C-alpha cells in the first residue's frame, strides 16, 4: 500500500510519528518544529506543517540561529532523548543556521536542520538568493553546513528521502556521533508528490546504546585506581548525557575519590556532596586545581579535556601523573596518552564500583580536600555577602542573591562573557540539571533562546537566562517569541557597560581593553569614558517583556523573588557597581593560553609577553 503525499508532507508525517529515543518518558524524538518562512520553504514545509498541525507543534522564531539554540536547549534538558527540527528559507535563513549547527555538534547535542534549497530542476538559474558557483552547479549556500553537521544530505528526488530520513534519525540518537543533522530540501522537491510506502510511516524505537566496558580495559582501569594515592575524577558532560549522576555519587562515596567538574559536567554531584570539589581548570576552584596539580591519576569521565579544563596543558604538574579516560567516544578515550575505558559512563562506573570491591583513598587525603573545600566555600560566602544592601551590587553579589533564592527545581542558563567564570567557580548546583552552561562553543546570544527550549522541555521548572549586556545586544529578539507563546522564562540582565570578559582578557595580554568598552566618543574621536545612553531595560520592555529594575542589592532581592513567582516572561535588570568591578575575587586559579604579541612598543604588551613566556614554559605534553 502507498500514500500519496508531497515530500514535505511525508517528512513531517514521518517525524510526527516517531516515538522517543530509548525508554521512558514517552516523548517523540522530534518534539516540535521551529520555522521562519520564505520562498524556499513556505509552500513546502510551511504547508506541510499546517497540514499536520495537530501532530507536529510549530514555534515561530525571529532569528534562525536562535531557533537552533532553542532546539539545543530543549535537547539538553531532554537528556538528548528528544530534540526539535528547524526549517528556513534558502538564502540568509539557511546560512544563519551555521553558528547554531556548530554549537550543537561541538556539544554533542542533537538538532535536525531542514533548510530550503534552490530548485533541483533548475527551471530558472539563478533564482532569488542563489549563490552561483561557476565550477560546481550542485553547490548552494547550504554546503556551508557540511563541516558543522554530523550528517548531511540534499534531497534531490522524492524517493531519496526514505534512506536519508532513516540515516538522520540514526545519527541523532547515536551517543557518539550525535550533533547537527542537515537535510537540505530544494523548494521544488518539497512540493512534489510521490507514492510513499506505508511502512515508511511505521513507528520506530530508536534506542540509545549504553555499552559496557571491555574486560581488558576494565582490568587495567581497576589496577590504575588501586595503585593511585592521589586520584581525582573530572566529571564532564558525558556524565549528564548518560544520566550517570547517581552512579557517580555512589562511586565517589565508596572510593572517596574527589570529583571536580568541567563546565558541561558541573552538577554531576550536588555542591554539598562530600566528594564534590567544584569546577576545574582556568575557571575552576582553588580546591580542584590544587588537587589536579598533585594528582597521580586523573580519571576523566565523559570529558573532552578542552584547554579550559587542562589550563592549556599546564594544570597537571605531577611528573608521575597518568590519565584514565572513561568515555563512550574512542577519540576522547585516548587523549593525553591515557588508559582508554571506552564505554557508557553509567555502565562503566557501575562495573568499576563492583570491581574495586571496597577500595578507598586514604583518610589523610580525604581530610585534606575536605578542609580545602571548606576554605573555598568561605571565600565564596565572602564574595556573595552584601553588607550594604542599599548600594549597587557587584556581579558575585548578584549571583549570591540569586543563589539564596533558588531551589533544586530552578535551571540557570548561560554561555558567554564574564558570567561563566564566576558561575563555574562559585555557583552551588543543587540538582543534576540546574546548571546549564554552553561552553563548548561559548556562543553569545545563546542564553535567551536556549532558556525557551529548556522551558518547553520542562514547563514545570523555573528557568533563568543569565545575560550580560554584550550578549543581550547580540540576540534579544527571541523575547518576542517567549511573549507571543507565553513561555515564562526569567531573564536576569546584567549591565556592566561592555565586553567585560574580553576586556579583562585584553588587559591581561597587553591589549589595554581596546575595543571592548561601550563608551561615547568625544569631538576629537577619543573615548570619554561615559557609558552609552542605551536603556536595555526599556528595550526588553519594548519587545513585550515585563521588566523589573533593581538599583540596589535590596531591590535585587525583591525583584528576583517577584520574577520567580511570575507566570509570564519577566526580566530583572541590574547594573553592576562599576564598569571595571565585574567579577571581583576570587580570580582565575589556573592559566589559559592566549598568545601575546612577541614584539611591541607599548609597555603593557611587553610586560604581558614576559608573563606569557613564564607560563607557557610550564606546559607539558602528556605522553
Amino acid at each position: 500500500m502507498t500514500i500519496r503525499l508531497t515530500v514535505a508532507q511525508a517528512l513531517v508525517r514521518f517525524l510526527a510519528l516517531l516515538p522517543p529515543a530509548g525508554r521512558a518518558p514517552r516523548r517523540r524524538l522530534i518534539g516540535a518544529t521551529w520555522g521562519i518562512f520564505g520562498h524556499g520553504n513556505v509552500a513546502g514545509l510551511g504547508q506541510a506543517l499546517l497540514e499536520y498541525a495537530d501532530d507536529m507543534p510549530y514555534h515561530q522564531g525571529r532569528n534562525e540561529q536562535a531557533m537552533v539554540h532553542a532546539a539545543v536547549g530543549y535537547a539538553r534538558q531532554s537528556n538528548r532523548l528528544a530534540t526539535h527540527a528547524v526549517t528556513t528559507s534558502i538564502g540568509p535563513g539557511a546560512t544563519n543556521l551555521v553558528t547554531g549547527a556548530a554549537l550543537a555538534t561541538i556539544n554533542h547535542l542533537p538538532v535536525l536542520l531542514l533548510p530550503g534549497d534552490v530548485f533541483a530542476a533548475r527551471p530558472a538559474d539563478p533564482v532569488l538568493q542563489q549563490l552561483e558557483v561557476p565550477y560546481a552547479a550542485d553547490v548552494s549556500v547550504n554546503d556551508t553546513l557540511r563541516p558543522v553537521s554530523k550528517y548531511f544530505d540534499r534531497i534531490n528526488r522524492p524517493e531519496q528521502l526514505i534512506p536519508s530520513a532513516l540515516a538522520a534519525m540514526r545519527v541523532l540518537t547515536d551517543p557518539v556521533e550525535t550533533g547537527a543533522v542537515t537535510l537540505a530540501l530544494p523548494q521544488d522537491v518539497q512540493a512534489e508528490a510521490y507514492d510513499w510506502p506505508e511502512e515508511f510511516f511505521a513507528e520506530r524505537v530508536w534506542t540509545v546504546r549504553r555499552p559496557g566496558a571491555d574486560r581488558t580495559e576494565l582490568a587495567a582501569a581497576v589496577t590504575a585506581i588501586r595503585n593511585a594515592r592521589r586520584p581525582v575524577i573530572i566529571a564532564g558532560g558525558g556524565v549528564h548525557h548518560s544520566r550517570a549522576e547517581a552512579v557517580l555519587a555512589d562511586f565517589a562515596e565508596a572510593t572517596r575519590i574527589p570529583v571536580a567538574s568541567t563546565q558541561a559536567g558541573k552538577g554531576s554531584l550536588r555542591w554539598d556532596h562530600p566528594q564534590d570539589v567544584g569546577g576545574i581548570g582556568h575557571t575552576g576552584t582553588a580546591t580542584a586545581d590544587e588537587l589536579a596539580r598533585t594528582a597521580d591519576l586523573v580519571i576523566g569521565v565523559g570529558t573532552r579535556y578542552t584547554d579550559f579544563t587542562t589550563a592549556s596543558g599546564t594544570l597537571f604538574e605531577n611528573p608521575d601523573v597518568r590519565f584514565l579516560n572513561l568515555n563512550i567516544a574512542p577519540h576522547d578515550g585516548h587523549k593525553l596518552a591515557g588508559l582508554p575505558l571506552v564505554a557508557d559512563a553509567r555502565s562503566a562506573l557501575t562495573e568499576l564500583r563492583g570491581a574495586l570491591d571496597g577500595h578507598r583513598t586514604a583518610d589523610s587525603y580525604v581530610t585534606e580536600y575536605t578542609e580545602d573545600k571548606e576554605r573555598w566555600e568561605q571565600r565564596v560566602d565572602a564574595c556573595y555577602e552584601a553588607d550594604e544592601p542599599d548600594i549597587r551590587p557587584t556581579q558575585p553579589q548578584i549571583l549570591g542573591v540569586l543563589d539564596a533564592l533558588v531551589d533544586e527545581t530552578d535551571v540557570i542558563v548561560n554561555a558567554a562573557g564574564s558570567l561563566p567564570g564566576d558561575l563555574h567557580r562559585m555557583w552551588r548546583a543543587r540538582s543534576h540539571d540546574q546548571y546549564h552552561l554552553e561552553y563548548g562553543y561559548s556562543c553569545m546570544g545563546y542564553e535567551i533562546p536556549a532558556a525557551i527550549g529548556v522551558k518547553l522541555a520542562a514547563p514545570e521548572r523555573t528557568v533563568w537566562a543569565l545575560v550580560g549586556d554584550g550578549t543581550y545586544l547580540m540576540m534579544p529578539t527571541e523575547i518576542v517569541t517567549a511573549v507571543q507563546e507565553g513561555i515564562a522564562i526569567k531573564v536576569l540582565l546584567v549591565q556592566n557597560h561592555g565586553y567585560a570578559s574580553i576586556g579583562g582578557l585584553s588587559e591581561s595580554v597587553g591589549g589595554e581593553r581596546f575595543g571592548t568598552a561601550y563608551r561615547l566618543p568625544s569631538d576629537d574621536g577619543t573615548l570619554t569614558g561615559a557609558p552609552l545612553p542605551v536603556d536595555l531595560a526599556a528595550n526588553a520592555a519594548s519587545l513585550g517583556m515585563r521588566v523589573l529594575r533593581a538599583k540596589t542589592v535590596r531591590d535585587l532581592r525583591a525583584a528576583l523573588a517577584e520574577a520567580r513567582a511570575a507566570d509570564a516572561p519577566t526580566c530583572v535588570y541590574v547594573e553592576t557597581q562599576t564598569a571595571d568591578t565585574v567579577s571581583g575575587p576570587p580570580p582565575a586559579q589556573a592559566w589559559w593560553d592566549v598568545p601575546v604579541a612577541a614584539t611591541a612598543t607599548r609597555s603593557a604588551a611587553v610586560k604581558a609577553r614576559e608573563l606569557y613566556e613564564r607560563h607557557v614554559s610550564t606546559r607539558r605534553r602528556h605522553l
Side-chain angles (χ1 to χ4, degrees):
M1 295 291 291
T2 60
I3 303 172
R4 190 161 183 81
L5 300 169
T6 68
V7 170
Q9 291 165 355
L11 177 57
V12 171
R13 179 167 176 171
F14 173 81
L15 298 176
L17 288 172
L18 282 172
R23 299 177 178 85
R26 285 197 61 80
R27 183 159 42 180
R28 282 205 313 264
L29 178 56
I30 306 299
T33 298
W34 289 84
I36 297 176
F37 296 115
H39 72 101
N41 63 346
V42 65
L45 276 167
Q47 191 282 329
L49 288 166
L50 174 63
E51 191 92 10
Y52 292 101
D54 292 339
D55 302 312
M56 173 59 71
Y58 166 74
H59 300 297
Q60 182 184 50
R62 269 73 198 175
N63 177 283
E64 292 85 1
Q65 177 184 320
M67 294 194 297
V68 185
H69 294 336
V72 166
Y74 181 92
R76 175 166 168 172
Q77 186 65 29
S78 302
N79 286 316
R80 303 197 301 181
L81 298 181
T83 187
H84 286 165
V86 178
T87 179
T88 72
S89 185
I90 72 170
T95 51
N96 280 350
L97 295 174
V98 174
T99 297
L103 180 148
T105 296
I106 285 171
N107 286 285
H108 300 293
L109 292 168
V111 62
L112 177 62
L113 307 181
L114 305 173
D117 212 326
V118 297
F119 285 81
R122 301 174 193 167
D125 192 18
V127 298
L128 178 66
Q129 297 181 323
Q130 179 177 342
L131 172 71
E132 291 187 89
V133 181
Y135 64 85
D138 62 343
V139 172
S140 78
V141 296
N142 283 330
D143 288 274
T144 60
L145 287 159
R146 288 181 184 270
V148 292
S149 296
K150 299 299 288 188
Y151 179 82
F152 180 98
D153 199 4
R154 180 175 284 112
I155 310 302
N156 287 312
R157 291 180 57 85
E159 58 267 37
Q160 185 185 341
L161 178 65
I162 295 175
S164 292
L166 295 172
M169 299 307 110
R170 170 185 58 79
V171 175
L172 288 172
T173 57
D174 189 309
V176 177
E177 292 300 318
T178 195
V181 168
T182 300
L183 298 182
L185 301 166
Q187 57 179 309
D188 53 343
V189 177
Q190 287 182 50
E192 187 174 341
Y194 183 73
D195 293 321
W196 305 90
E198 279 190 342
E199 294 82 2
F200 181 52
F201 305 110
E203 287 192 353
R204 293 174 174 84
V205 175
W206 301 90
T207 302
V208 175
R209 294 186 299 280
R210 307 290 186 195
D214 174 82
R215 296 298 95 189
T216 302
E217 291 184 352
L218 182 65
V222 170
T223 299
I225 294 172
R226 287 190 179 279
N227 291 338
R229 295 294 174 263
R230 298 185 63 83
V232 63
I233 294 169
I234 298 178
V239 174
H240 295 311
H241 296 332
S242 178
R243 293 180 292 177
E245 299 91 354
V247 175
L248 175 62
D250 180 63
F251 180 85
E253 290 163 12
T255 61
R256 304 194 300 184
I257 299 175
V259 177
S261 58
T262 67
Q263 287 279 19
K266 191 174 173 74
S268 294
L269 298 184
R270 273 183 59 104
W271 76 274
D272 53 0
H273 189 284
Q275 271 65 57
D276 181 75
V277 293
I280 193 167
H282 176 63
T283 53
T285 69
T287 307
D289 285 354
E290 284 306 312
L291 288 171
R293 290 184 178 101
T294 60
D296 57 0
L297 180 67
V298 177
I299 306 169
V301 182
T303 179
R304 299 186 296 132
Y305 289 114
T306 68
D307 58 345
F308 259 58
T309 298
T310 67
S312 299
T314 65
L315 185 59
F316 307 109
E317 296 178 355
N318 188 330
D320 298 319
V321 67
R322 293 295 179 265
F323 297 85
L324 168 61
N325 302 328
L326 196 178
N327 205 296
I328 198 168
H331 171 72
D332 294 316
H334 286 81
K335 286 180 177 176
L336 301 176
L339 286 171
L341 186 57
V342 179
D344 170 72
R346 186 170 32 156
S347 300
L349 283 171
T350 301
E351 293 176 282
L352 277 173
R353 168 80 163 82
L356 284 166
D357 190 25
H359 173 77
R360 306 177 82 192
T361 58
D363 290 345
S364 58
Y365 187 48
V366 177
T367 299
E368 175 190 333
Y369 69 69
T370 300
E371 292 177 350
D372 281 350
K373 178 180 176 178
E374 290 174 357
R375 285 190 287 270
W376 179 260
E377 292 303 330
Q378 290 170 4
R379 293 180 68 181
V380 174
D381 287 338
C383 289
Y384 279 178
E385 197 170 280
D387 292 330
E388 300 178 69
D390 293 316
I391 64 172
R392 278 185 189 170
T394 63
Q395 187 159 287
Q397 288 170 342
I398 292 172
L399 297 181
V401 174
L402 186 61
D403 175 83
L405 175 70
V406 302
D407 62 27
E408 65 276 0
T409 65
D410 293 69
V411 180
I412 309 299
V413 182
N414 187 240
S418 57
L419 279 164
D422 287 353
L423 288 164
H424 197 208
R425 279 188 286 272
M426 296 189 292
W427 187 258
R428 291 162 170 166
R430 292 160 172 78
S431 65
H432 71 275
D433 61 352
Q434 180 180 79
Y435 188 85
H436 183 124
L437 255 287
E438 188 289 297
Y439 217 60
Y441 208 43
S442 188
C443 185
M444 297 176 74
Y446 174 81
E447 293 89 345
I448 293 173
I452 291 173
V454 172
K455 186 68 173 176
L456 289 171
E460 75 285 359
R461 307 284 289 273
T462 301
V463 182
W464 299 88
L466 274 55
V467 183
D469 53 292
T471 288
Y472 178 85
L473 287 170
M474 287 275 183
M475 198 176 297
T477 50
E478 295 314 306
I479 285 175
V480 178
T481 300
V483 171
Q484 175 175 302
E485 301 203 14
I487 303 169
I489 62 169
K490 322 298 180 183
V491 175
L492 176 51
L493 176 51
V494 180
Q495 169 66 275
N496 50 44
H497 302 292
Y499 299 122
S501 175
I502 294 301
L505 177 63
S506 172
E507 186 171 32
S508 71
V509 298
E512 302 177 49
R513 295 183 177 264
F514 176 74
T516 64
Y518 298 158
R519 295 173 183 171
L520 287 170
S522 62
D523 292 339
D524 61 2
T526 61
L527 295 178
T528 66
L532 290 172
V534 175
D535 190 337
L536 298 183
N539 178 264
S542 76
L543 297 176
M545 186 168 253
R546 182 184 178 215
V547 177
L548 306 173
R549 295 175 183 260
K551 293 183 178 180
T552 67
V553 173
R554 192 188 307 277
D555 293 342
L556 182 63
R557 290 194 185 107
L560 290 176
E562 184 175 347
R564 189 174 187 271
D567 58 3
T570 306
C571 173
V572 174
Y573 172 87
V574 61
E575 187 175 348
T576 56
Q577 201 168 94
T578 70
D580 297 322
T581 307
V582 177
S583 295
Q589 303 297 305
W591 186 58
W592 182 45
D593 187 355
V594 176
V596 177
T599 180
T601 58
R602 299 179 71 89
S603 61
V606 172
K607 291 177 182 177
R609 180 67 190 193
E610 292 172 356
L611 181 61
Y612 176 80
E613 290 176 350
R614 288 200 296 271
H615 279 299
V616 81
S617 67
T618 67
R619 176 184 285 140
R620 292 181 60 187
R621 296 277 188 188
H622 296 283
L623 301 172

